[in-house]
Amino acid sequence: MTRGQRKKRVRMESFAMSMAAMMVDGQMTQVDSIKVSCEDDLFGYDSFTYLNWNDFDSVFAMDVLSGAVISSYTMYLYEQIKNGGKVDHGICFITPTATMQFNKKGMIKNVDDSSRLVADRLKGRKGNDIVLLPYNPGEHWVLGVIDMKNMDCYYLDSLRPSSVNFQFKQIVDAAIGLYESQSGSKKTRKLRWVNSKCPPQPGFTECGYYVLKFMKEVVRQGIVVLQKDNIGGDSNQYTDADFDEIRAEWLGYACNFIFRP
């Protein structure tokens, strides 16, 4: 085991001890999942998700993240804006389930289904013009950030491909067209797509953590961080400490719900 691996294991054990400290008389082992919820206007409807113990294991081990982890960290960011004293840069969040390939009944959604859900959220966004949309085309997380004022869509993919995911572009472009039509606009605006420079992931399982970090930077700095092409800062890299902070924030937020009825 290398020095870096030992340090990482120590960090994971400290996270596990923090979680274990929340256990009282073994109560945590008596349930399969916990419900995590947030204010209704986060996603435009009753906003909640369920976390199971596989989700906690994935966060401890820097493994592949589920949509539930992405959603619950989004709730944390939203509450930081609303209640934590963070500057509100006009951020609107869209749930990752809006664009997932399957609906709640396990049936395949098409582009039109996803576009309608995104368009509905845009319509109800209450003037917040910076729209964060996590997307999973299959075993990989990316982030779209729509600037509704300037009609730009920034695409952040830690695999750093040469082009934007085709289906994601279809969904968002169709959603914008539908939104413009529903808004009664006589002139249909089109998005300018920007394949943004961003820190690259080193392995195969870190994409979800990169999306969480991307969202956190936009929430803290606003759209200017993308306009200046400065996600990841001058080094264009993230460190273990960056992701340890993300995991600690998520864990602290999720554990608030463990003993709630």
Side-chain angles (χ1 to χ4, degrees):
M1 182 181 295
T2 67
R3 181 180 179 184
Q5 290 172 326
R6 284 195 299 272
K7 286 184 176 180
K8 189 172 183 179
R9 180 170 180 176
V10 169
R11 283 193 294 269
M12 292 303 95
E13 288 174 350
S14 68
F15 280 126
M17 289 175 66
S18 298
M19 184 176 175
M22 299 290 181
M23 298 183 185
V24 178
D25 298 327
Q27 291 184 44
M28 285 180 63
T29 62
Q30 297 175 12
V31 296
D32 295 325
S33 62
I34 59 172
K35 182 179 180 179
V36 179
S37 59
C38 195
E39 296 180 34
D40 292 351
D41 56 349
L42 166 58
F43 294 134
Y45 58 86
D46 191 15
S47 303
F48 67 91
T49 191
Y50 288 92
L51 297 169
N52 59 43
W53 308 125
N54 288 334
D55 292 320
F56 284 88
D57 287 340
S58 295
V59 173
F60 291 154
M62 282 289 287
D63 206 346
V64 178
L65 295 183
S66 68
V69 174
I70 301 292
S71 293
S72 52
Y73 188 77
T74 302
M75 294 176 189
Y76 164 79
L77 291 175
Y78 177 79
E79 293 200 355
Q80 286 293 297
I81 295 172
K82 290 293 183 180
N83 306 315
K86 299 295 183 185
V87 175
D88 187 351
H89 292 283
I91 303 294
C92 171
F93 298 95
I94 298 182
T95 174
T97 59
T99 55
M100 283 185 173
Q101 296 177 334
F102 298 91
N103 62 23
K104 292 181 180 180
K105 297 181 179 179
M107 300 176 64
I108 295 177
K109 292 191 302 187
N110 58 35
V111 169
D112 291 340
D113 294 333
S114 295
S115 297
R116 278 193 293 271
L117 291 172
V118 174
D120 288 345
R121 183 69 186 105
L122 293 176
K123 186 177 180 181
R125 74 185 191 278
K126 300 180 180 178
N128 292 326
D129 289 323
I130 308 304
V131 184
L132 272 59
L133 177 53
Y135 176 66
N136 193 322
E139 304 299 325
H140 181 60
W141 287 104
V142 301
L143 180 67
V145 181
I146 309 171
D147 178 355
M148 294 296 292
K149 280 187 177 179
N150 297 307
M151 293 302 288
D152 294 327
C153 187
Y154 297 91
Y155 180 76
L156 295 102
D157 185 339
S158 52
L159 290 180
R160 297 172 72 164
S162 59
S163 60
V164 175
N165 178 274
F166 178 73
Q167 184 165 321
F168 184 59
K169 188 175 186 299
Q170 272 190 311
I171 291 171
V172 176
D173 282 341
I176 291 293
L178 185 57
Y179 165 77
E180 293 279 287
S181 174
Q182 292 174 341
S183 300
S185 175
K186 295 181 180 180
K187 184 178 180 181
T188 302
R189 300 180 298 168
K190 292 186 177 181
L191 283 175
R192 180 181 74 97
W193 283 83
V194 180
N195 191 0
S196 295
K197 181 182 74 174
C198 60
Q201 65 184 79
F204 301 100
T205 63
E206 302 93 351
C207 56
Y209 306 90
Y210 276 73
V211 164
L212 299 184
K213 181 63 175 173
F214 297 156
M215 289 199 296
K216 183 176 179 178
E217 287 202 49
V218 177
V219 166
R220 287 190 170 181
Q221 301 181 55
I223 197 66
V224 66
V225 71
L226 291 167
Q227 292 171 338
K228 292 184 176 180
D229 202 18
N230 199 39
I231 282 285
D234 294 336
S235 67
N236 196 34
Q237 296 287 336
Y238 291 144
T239 65
D240 286 348
D242 289 321
F243 296 119
D244 285 349
E245 184 177 61
I246 293 284
R247 289 185 289 174
E249 290 166 344
W250 177 85
L251 179 62
Y253 183 73
C255 284
N256 286 329
F257 295 86
I258 289 176
F259 298 115
R260 291 188 183 182

